[in-house]
């Protein structure tokens, strides 16, 4: 419903500043109070079945019975409202339920701040300074704890039968385990759907890597409906290749080129970084495996004496580096692009960076889930050049693709 200029002029009145409009005692706050009270009166009219003072209400056995005061926390601050009552005490308002002391918008703001890595104290100060609303640590915990049911449902939701490309990556957070604060690794598994959309498949907190751990993780994905993976891209995670062979034997295991390159550049001082990166790119952007071998040999001639650890790393992992060279460049770009991996991980790392350490696994999962929920809202478009990559994948793996993608 459009609000006319005459109504706006009347509302604005003599307001001359932003504070007059949006401040703690501004027009918006007063208008919010009046709107809530008006809506509550409308709800009571609907409940009783007749308008105030209407003849139809005589001898119905129920009627209006004044109002009680209630303070509600909102995104605009605390607002004291009058909540109407009926004589029989059966009126159950929907706008602000009985025993409800805050609006959903406040919950949404707290969850948004929490997902961005703000601590409980930071959230308290932010809400107090911006809205003049005091919220306790217990209230913040209550709001965020309510998300855990959603987290559990999300972590157990059914998955698609086929994800053409799946990525596994991990990063370290500090968590309390058996009363001792220690480093814990969070593993993020995300995939590209047949439609080319990014999707986070799962979050797992590992105490130690190994084939047994990865067998548990991958088996859980299968139990949630994931039947097949064409290409699985990951860093050198201990025991993962063996677990992939046991659970998804047809999947092509590909060492993450992004991680290989970054790991290599850790050995290189700033003065040589650009030149080394260019020469490594010649290896993984070669048109064929034979040309990649030649490029690696040339890299060793140029840099081998200076950076032998890089040569050793690429030689030792060679069989897991070269699988993607069998694919056209459209598919290679999807596999080794940094955008898919880094954009999500950057968000997740930021969400845990300011917290020192987490007291429970649930606390870690709450923050990461909320961060994923926030960033996922932006994943509306297929990844770049996906149609071209999909066409090649559909031909190469025609026996494993749904019919509608191979017709």
């Amino acid at each position: 419903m459009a609000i006319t200029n005459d109504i706006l002029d009347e509302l604005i009145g003599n307001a001359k500043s932003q504070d007059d409009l949006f401040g703690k005692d501004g027009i918006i706050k007063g208008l919010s109070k009046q709107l809530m009270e008006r809506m509550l009166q409308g709800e009571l009219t609907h409940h009783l079945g007749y308008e105030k003072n209407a003849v139809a209400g005589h001898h119905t056995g129920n009627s209006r019975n004044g109002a009680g005061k209630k303070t509600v926390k909102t995104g605009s601050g605390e607002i004291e409202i009058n909540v109407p009552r009926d004589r029989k005490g059966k009126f159950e308002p929907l706008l602000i339920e009985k025993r409800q002391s805050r609006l959903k918008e406040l919950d949404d703001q707290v969850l948004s701040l929490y997902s961005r890595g703000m601590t409980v104290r930071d959230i308290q100060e932010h809400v107090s300074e911006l809205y003049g609303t005091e919220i306790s640590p217990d209230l913040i915990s209550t709001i965020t704890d309510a998300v855990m049911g959603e987290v559990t449902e999300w972590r157990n939701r059914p998955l698609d039968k086929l994800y053409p490309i799946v990525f596994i990556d991990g990063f370290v957070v500090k968590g309390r385990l058996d009363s001792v604060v220690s480093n814990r690794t969070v593993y993020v598994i995300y995939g590209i759907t047949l439609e080319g959309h990014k999707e986070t498949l799962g979050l797992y907190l590992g105490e130690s890597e190994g084939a047994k751990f990865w067998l548990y993780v991958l088996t859980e994905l299968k139990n949630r409906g994931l039947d097949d993976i064409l290409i699985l891209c990951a860093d050198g995670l201990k025991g993962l290749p063996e677990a992939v062979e046991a659970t998804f034997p047809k999947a092509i295991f590909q060492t993450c080129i992004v991680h290989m390159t970054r790991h290599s550049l850790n050995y290189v001082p700033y003065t040589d970084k650009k030149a080394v990166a260019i020469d490594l790119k010649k290896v993984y952007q070669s048109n064929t495996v034979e040309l990649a071998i030649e490029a690696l040999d040339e890299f060793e001639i140029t840099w081998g004496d200076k950076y032998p650890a890089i040569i050793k790393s690429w030689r030792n992992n060679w069989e897991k580096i070269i699988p993607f060279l069998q694919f056209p460049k459209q598919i290679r770009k999807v596999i080794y692009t940094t955008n898919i991996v880094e954009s999500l991980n950057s968000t997740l790392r930021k969400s845990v960076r300011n917290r020192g350490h987490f007291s429970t696994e649930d606390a870690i999962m709450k923050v990461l889930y909320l961060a994923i929920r926030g960033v996922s809202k932006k994943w509306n478009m297929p990844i770049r050049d996906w149609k071209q990559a999909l066409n090649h994948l559909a031909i190469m793996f025609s026996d494993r693709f749904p019919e509608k993608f191979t017709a």
Side-chain angles (χ1 to χ4, degrees), residues 28-82:
I28 298 300
K29 188 172 182 179
L31 181 60
S32 298
K33 169 182 168 65
Q34 289 181 270
L35 286 172
M36 281 190 284
E37 290 179 345
R38 185 70 186 89
M39 290 178 69
L40 288 168
Q41 288 289 352
E43 283 195 50
L44 180 57
T45 295
H46 178 76
H47 170 72
L48 294 174
Y50 61 90
E51 295 287 345
K52 188 176 182 180
N53 300 322
V55 176
H58 293 178
H59 310 297
T60 59
N62 200 5
S63 61
R64 288 167 172 79
N65 188 34
K69 293 190 179 296
K70 184 173 188 175
T71 299
V72 180
K73 297 180 186 293
T74 75
S76 302
E78 292 185 348
I79 299 177
E80 186 179 83
I81 61 173
N82 295 309

Side-chain angles (χ1 to χ4, degrees), residues 92-199:
E92 298 283 348
L94 299 176
L95 175 65
I96 303 170
E97 298 176 2
K98 288 184 177 180
R99 294 174 293 279
Q100 181 184 350
S101 61
R102 61 186 189 275
L103 296 186
K104 183 177 181 297
E105 63 170 346
L106 180 63
D107 289 22
D108 291 341
Q109 288 183 11
V110 169
L111 292 175
S112 177
L113 297 172
Y114 193 79
S115 71
R116 285 169 168 78
M118 294 183 69
T119 64
V120 170
R121 179 175 294 179
D122 291 337
I123 295 172
Q124 281 184 284
E125 293 176 354
H126 178 84
V127 173
S128 177
E129 291 175 4
L130 198 58
Y131 305 114
T133 301
E134 299 296 330
I135 55 177
S136 68
D138 288 343
L139 176 56
I140 295 174
S141 295
T142 298
I143 293 172
T144 58
D145 284 347
V147 175
M148 278 311 301
E150 191 176 331
V151 174
T152 301
E153 184 178 346
W154 176 80
R155 294 182 72 186
N156 291 282
R157 76 194 189 283
L159 299 175
D160 293 349
K161 289 186 176 182
L162 170 65
Y163 288 85
I165 304 175
V166 169
F167 300 85
I168 299 180
D169 196 20
F171 59 92
V172 174
V173 299
K174 289 188 179 297
R176 185 175 295 277
L177 180 65
D178 298 329
S179 301
V180 177
V181 176
S182 59
N183 288 336
R184 309 288 299 277
T185 302
V186 175
Y187 295 103
V188 189
I189 303 179
Y190 45 104
I192 308 299
T193 69
L194 283 165
E195 290 75 23
H197 293 287
K198 293 177 284 187
E199 180 182 341

